[in-house]
Amino acid sequence: MTVDDTGSGEGEHPAPDGGDGRTPGPVAGRGKDGFGVPEVSDVDEKSEDDAARDPLALRLEQLILGADRRYTPFQAARSAGVSMELASRFWRAMGFPDIGQAKALTEADVLALRRLAGLVEAGLLSEAMAVQVARSTGQTTARLAEWQIDSFLEGLTEPPEPGMTRTEVTYPLIELLLPELEEFLVYVWRRQLAAATGRVVQAADDEEMVDRRLAVGFADLVGFTRLTRRMEEEELGELVEAFETTAADLVAAHGGRLIKTLGDEVLYAADDAGVAAEIALRLIETMANDETMPELRVGIAFGTVTTRMGDVFGTTVNLASRLTSIAPRDAVLVDGAFAEELTRTGDAPASETQAAEEAAAAEKEGEEPPSYRFALQPMWQRPVRGLGVVEPWLLARRG
């Protein structure tokens, strides 16, 4: 594997200090897989960046990363056996800024580079796929870390006694929480990976694994912009958090998948139209019973959806968004394809006339009439920006 313009990298990793790689320096530490990294000749020298930083910040960084700063990006790339260009692509994909040649990287950084490059070298991933893995992981964990610091740790690190500073509480708290949160993160990731894999392998063919037919729903708080002008920032934050939490719980409980939250709007998806309909109506009912919440409107469309990095794209998603913007308050609008799918699965009658005829026929025969969960009412046709003329249907519960 080509390292860079200064070394071949075939069969051995050049020493970060510019040696030939045959006589590595002392092993500074070993990761979980037992790999050691050659010592850098000047690792004991304090960089200007280190000297300028808060000592507690450095101690927290060392605690969380499990290692001291040892390498510049160039040294880390050489030690990992990858080109500086590829190393930079991986770092940026993970969401980290360029740092020039500051000594800010650890043995864990070297090992991560080596593992990603090894997957490419072994043919398990293409280089583009490896970069995508780095980007998706970086974006997801960055948001998680920000949330934990902003909400979770901020509340827990309130000084328990007068005279104590928050910084005096933070270090021992993180020391206790870190291993537990790490184990929990891996557990949840494995659970989510198992669920996602199960959905993919049940696809009808290879093409459907990427472009799948899904029900996509948007739920939007009505009048949110006006609320932002009237409410204090803290109140607004609490309202948004309550909305996102309620929506996430309802989506998960009824078998859907929360794709993302956008403050006053949530996007979810479901493989089954009946599941998507149930979630939409539950959201409307739950929010209507909460006096602190604004009114809600939901739009759902059914069709082919492209999935990338946990997000969804395509005409179906755009249509669901447009339906949300024209839906009445505390109501659910769906497209024709979604209405057809509910009818096909027996969750809703094609029309109320049909339902009445079926009930009359069943009564005449002394049988139970068909049981439908939902009712569909055709609405006026109207042009929708970018999608032409659509005929939405109003979704409601029966009975």
Side-chain angles (χ1 to χ4, degrees):
M1 176 164 52
T2 300
V3 178
D4 51 36
D5 295 335
T6 61
S8 68
E10 295 181 0
E12 60 190 32
H13 296 306
D17 60 358
D20 61 7
R22 295 187 180 88
T23 310
V27 174
R30 296 183 181 271
K32 291 183 179 180
D33 61 355
F35 285 106
V37 178
E39 189 86 41
V40 177
S41 59
D42 58 350
V43 294
D44 294 327
E45 298 178 8
K46 286 281 186 180
S47 69
E48 293 181 6
D49 182 56
D50 281 2
R53 294 193 64 183
D54 188 308
L56 178 62
L58 285 174
R59 286 180 59 215
L60 286 171
E61 179 186 279
Q62 292 167 2
L63 172 65
I64 294 170
L65 296 180
D68 296 337
R69 297 177 169 205
R70 300 178 61 81
Y71 304 107
T72 67
F74 178 73
Q75 292 168 340
R78 293 193 64 187
S79 187
V82 303
S83 69
M84 188 63 204
E85 179 184 359
L86 182 58
S88 295
R89 289 187 67 196
F90 284 151
W91 292 127
R92 291 168 184 165
M94 286 185 278
F96 302 126
D98 294 337
I99 57 173
Q101 287 307 310
K103 189 180 296 181
L105 305 182
T106 71
E107 293 173 11
D109 297 312
V110 172
L111 182 57
L113 278 178
R114 189 178 298 158
R115 281 175 167 161
L116 274 177
L119 292 174
V120 175
E121 187 176 12
L124 295 173
L125 294 177
S126 67
E127 187 173 306
M129 289 174 63
V131 171
Q132 191 176 58
V133 167
R135 180 171 292 111
S136 61
T137 307
Q139 290 178 358
T140 303
T141 52
R143 185 179 181 190
L144 174 64
E146 289 288 347
W147 181 89
Q148 288 175 331
I149 293 300
D150 290 345
S151 303
F152 184 53
L153 289 178
E154 183 180 0
L156 287 179
T157 53
E158 288 291 342
E161 298 179 9
M164 290 189 68
T165 65
R166 177 171 288 175
T167 54
E168 290 174 324
V169 179
T170 301
Y171 190 94
L173 179 66
I174 291 180
E175 193 172 27
L176 291 171
L177 283 176
L178 190 63
E180 302 299 327
L181 292 178
E182 183 178 13
E183 290 292 333
F184 186 70
L185 175 62
V186 173
Y187 154 74
V188 175
W189 171 73
R190 284 183 176 273
R191 268 289 178 187
Q192 293 287 4
L193 186 63
T197 303
R199 290 193 296 268
V200 169
V201 298
Q202 292 177 32
D205 50 47
D206 290 344
E207 185 176 344
E208 191 181 338
M209 289 185 180
V210 178
D211 297 320
R212 303 159 58 193
R213 287 179 62 80
L214 297 175
V216 177
F218 277 93
D220 177 58
L221 291 175
V222 179
F224 185 76
T225 303
R226 291 194 300 274
L227 281 176
T228 61
R229 293 194 290 264
R230 296 204 316 263
M231 299 179 71
E232 297 290 336
E233 288 186 6
E234 186 174 347
E235 291 179 301
L236 195 62
E238 291 174 354
L239 184 145
V240 168
E241 184 176 356
F243 169 58
E244 291 182 351
T245 299
T246 301
D249 288 348
L250 285 172
V251 169
H254 293 282
R257 298 187 299 284
L258 187 69
I259 304 299
K260 59 186 175 184
T261 60
L262 304 170
D264 62 330
E265 190 173 59
V266 297
L267 170 62
Y268 71 93
D271 298 310
D272 180 80
V275 168
E278 182 65 29
I279 290 170
L281 292 172
R282 291 270 183 174
L283 283 169
I284 294 290
E285 293 158 0
T286 302
M287 297 299 173
N289 289 328
D290 187 341
E291 295 180 355
T292 66
M293 283 289 171
E295 294 159 306
L296 190 71
R297 55 190 177 188
V298 182
I300 315 177
F302 185 84
T304 301
V305 174
T306 298
T307 59
R308 289 288 186 278
M309 294 177 62
D311 208 343
V312 291
F313 307 92
T315 302
T316 303
V317 181
N318 295 337
L319 180 54
S321 177
R322 299 289 190 272
L323 288 171
T324 306
S325 65
I326 63 174
R329 296 169 181 240
D330 285 339
V332 182
L333 281 190
V334 304
D335 74 327
F338 187 88
E340 287 181 14
E341 184 67 11
L342 282 183
T343 302
R344 185 188 69 80
T345 57
D347 286 311
S351 67
E352 289 305 309
T353 301
Q354 174 189 318
E357 291 174 350
E358 290 173 343
E363 184 179 359
K364 184 177 181 180
E365 297 294 330
E367 299 174 354
E368 285 291 325
S371 176
Y372 296 111
R373 299 163 59 192
F374 308 111
L376 292 164
Q377 177 186 341
M379 304 292 284
W380 62 96
Q381 289 188 349
R382 61 180 298 170
V384 174
R385 181 167 53 88
L387 297 171
V389 177
V390 299
E391 182 181 4
W393 296 68
L394 186 67
L395 176 74
R397 290 195 188 277
R398 286 185 60 81

